Amino acid sequence: MEKAKWKIKPFNELSLNELYSLLQLREEVFIIEQSCIYQDVDGKDQKALHLLGELNGKLVAYARLFDVND
């Protein structure tokens, strides 16, 4: 079984493809699957570190990480 490859990046180091993939995944999970209608692009991405998990070149896991002091 292949293991996911993990990356942590600040917002300004995300590639356009990574940004597109993470926004697409967030939309699929939170808005479509969980029927959670809210403003996803909330102005907090620039302050977060972005944890991306890829399997076979596809984004399969994602989280935003925030400093508790911000």
Side-chain angles (χ1 to χ4, degrees), residues 4 6 8-10 14 21 25 28 33 38 46 48 50 62 69-70:
W6 296 94
I8 296 177
K9 293 185 170 188
L14 293 169
S21 293
L25 184 60
E28 288 173 10
E33 291 178 11
Y38 67 96
Q46 293 87 336
H50 300 269
Y62 169 76
N69 296 317
D70 279 344

Side-chain angles (χ1 to χ4, degrees), residues 16-59:
L16 289 176
N17 286 334
E18 288 170 329
L19 180 60
Y20 183 86
S21 293
L22 72 85
L23 291 172
Q24 184 178 36
L25 184 60
R26 281 173 25 185
E27 182 178 287
E28 288 173 10
V29 171
F30 296 113
I31 297 172
I32 296 171
E33 291 178 11
Q34 296 182 5
S35 300
C36 184
I37 300 172
Y38 67 96
Q39 185 176 356
D40 184 44
V41 181
D42 56 10
K44 296 179 182 177
D45 288 311
Q46 293 87 336
K47 294 180 181 180
L49 287 177
H50 300 269
L51 176 64
L52 302 104
E54 296 179 349
L55 189 59
N56 298 321
K58 181 180 178 186
L59 185 67

